[in-house]
């Protein structure tokens, strides 16, 4: 816990890992790259940098990091790059809520999936943002839902907040605590639709976010080829800042 700062977001950098990894901090899975069998997918050439949700860290004592590595053959292990805990510069855990990391996903379509009380514990894990090919979903041409439970730290603002929902392939509806806050669907066919290239920026109605646990659910319709929440940032921030960020073309990962 020494050197950790409650008001900052922390990242763990693990360099490059051959072939597949999943990372746990204090027993909670916070990230993975590539796919374990039966959906094996190497990620040997991807640098591992994962957001650490503030609620999993022990700021006053020891923290345990565990990395599970799967090697398909040839070289293996954490083979290059820098390893360490970093701050996410300029972003405060009191002002922004980072949602990037491990989410749940299910290929199916049911309005109950938007409900706070719905039990998604047996759903598949997926990294957000990532191409869902890495977990064995190819050319879906159908609906899938993403869900994540996130914690608002004490003192985080709940009013005049906006979700930047990353880029989603192809169409989406996003719900927070069971209420739809926005959707993007230009109604066009694969090849002519440009919805996949749009950064989702949706204002969150005041009174919807609450201190403690909240649930975000994203209904994704894929019309072919790639799919899912494939590019960040995925973050809740004050509306005044979100306008500025939405104009910036590139951002952290």
């Amino acid at each position: 816990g020494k050197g950790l700062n409650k008001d900052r977001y922390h990242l763990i950098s693990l360099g490059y890992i051959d072939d597949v990894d999943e990372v746990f901090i204090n027993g909670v899975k916070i990230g993975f790259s590539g796919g374990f069998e039966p959906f094996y997918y190497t990620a040997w050439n991807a640098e591992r940098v994962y957001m650490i949700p503030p609620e999993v860290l022990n700021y006053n004592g020891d923290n345990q990091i565990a990395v599970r590595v799967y090697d398909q053959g040839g070289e293996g292990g954490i083979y290059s790059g820098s390893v360490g805990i970093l701050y996410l510069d300029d972003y405060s855990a009191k002002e922004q809520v980072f949602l990037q990391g491990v989410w749940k996903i299910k290929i199916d379509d049911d309005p109950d999936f938007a409900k706070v009380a719905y039990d998604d514990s047996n759903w598949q894990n997926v990294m957000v943002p990532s191409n869902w090919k890495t977990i064995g979903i190819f050319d879906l041409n159908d609906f899938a839902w993403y869900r994540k439970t996130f914690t608002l730290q004490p003192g985080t603002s709940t009013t005049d907040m906006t979700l930047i929902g990353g880029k989603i392939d192809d169409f989406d509806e996003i719900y927070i605590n069971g209420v739809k806050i926005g959707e993007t669907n230009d109604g066009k066919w694969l090849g002519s639709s440009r919805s996949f290239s749009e950064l989702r920026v949706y204002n969150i109605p005041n009174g919807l976010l609450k201190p403690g646990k909240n649930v975000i659910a994203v209904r994704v319709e894929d019309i072919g080829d790639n799919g899912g929440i494939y590019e960040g940032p995925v973050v809740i921030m004050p509306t005044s800042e979100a306008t500025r960020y939405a104009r910036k073309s590139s951002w952290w990962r």
Side-chain angles (χ1 to χ4, degrees):
K2 287 193 183 73
L4 297 180
N5 180 339
K6 267 202 171 99
D7 295 337
R8 302 283 292 276
Y9 271 99
H10 298 82
L11 309 169
I12 182 167
S13 168
L14 292 167
Y16 294 86
I17 299 177
D18 191 336
D19 286 282
V20 183
D21 67 280
E22 52 185 353
V23 179
F24 300 82
I25 293 187
N26 298 330
V28 178
K29 186 195 286 199
I30 61 123
F32 66 95
S33 295
F36 292 91
E37 301 286 5
F39 302 114
Y40 172 70
Y41 194 101
T42 183
W44 68 272
N45 61 348
E47 190 176 6
R48 299 336 195 243
V49 181
Y50 301 124
M51 278 289 315
I52 306 175
E55 62 270 20
V56 310
L57 285 170
N58 173 9
Y59 293 93
N60 304 313
D62 292 340
N63 290 274
Q64 186 191 58
I65 297 168
V67 183
R68 179 176 177 234
V69 176
Y70 174 74
D71 177 44
Q72 179 79 341
E75 300 291 314
I78 302 174
Y79 68 92
S80 81
S82 55
V83 175
I85 303 279
L86 319 165
Y87 287 135
L88 186 50
D89 282 340
D90 305 329
Y91 304 107
S92 145
K94 288 270 189 284
E95 289 166 24
Q96 288 99 354
V97 185
F98 272 89
L99 300 176
Q100 300 184 187
V102 180
W103 287 49
K104 293 289 188 178
I105 189 171
K106 186 175 178 67
I107 299 171
D108 201 354
D109 193 24
D110 183 334
D112 283 353
F113 296 165
K115 294 180 177 167
V116 173
Y118 183 85
D119 179 9
D120 57 29
S121 56
N122 62 350
W123 286 18
Q124 196 174 356
N125 287 317
V126 64
M127 283 300 286
V128 169
S130 75
N131 184 326
W132 63 25
K133 284 179 178 171
T134 58
I135 57 163
I137 302 176
F138 297 92
D139 258 342
L140 182 65
N141 230 343
D142 203 346
F143 289 94
W145 281 73
Y146 286 77
R147 284 175 56 93
K148 184 176 182 67
T149 300
F150 61 95
T151 304
L152 248 54
Q153 299 303 301
T156 306
S157 172
T158 57
T159 55
D160 298 328
M161 299 293 274
T162 292
L163 170 75
I164 296 191
K167 293 184 180 177
I168 300 175
D169 194 333
D170 289 279
F171 308 139
D172 66 280
E173 298 175 22
I174 299 187
Y175 298 80
I176 288 182
N177 295 333
V179 174
K180 188 200 281 192
I181 63 162
E183 64 183 310
T184 299
N185 184 340
D186 63 13
K188 294 181 178 170
W189 297 96
L190 183 65
S192 59
S193 171
R194 305 304 297 162
S195 289
F196 74 89
S197 63
E198 280 185 39
L199 185 65
R200 275 44 174 189
V201 182
Y202 303 143
N203 289 339
I204 301 170
N206 288 341
L208 196 53
L209 289 172
K210 53 190 196 300
K213 296 226 178 299
N214 295 264
V215 173
I216 181 168
V218 183
R219 181 185 189 233
V220 175
E221 181 181 0
D222 176 45
I223 56 174
D225 199 17
N226 295 323
I229 307 171
Y230 69 93
E231 191 177 298
V234 183
V235 57
I236 292 169
M237 57 170 59
T239 303
S240 54
E241 278 182 61
T243 318
R244 203 158 41 88
Y245 278 113
R247 293 197 195 109
K248 274 190 183 177
S249 55
S250 69
W251 214 53
W252 178 70
R253 292 174 73 76

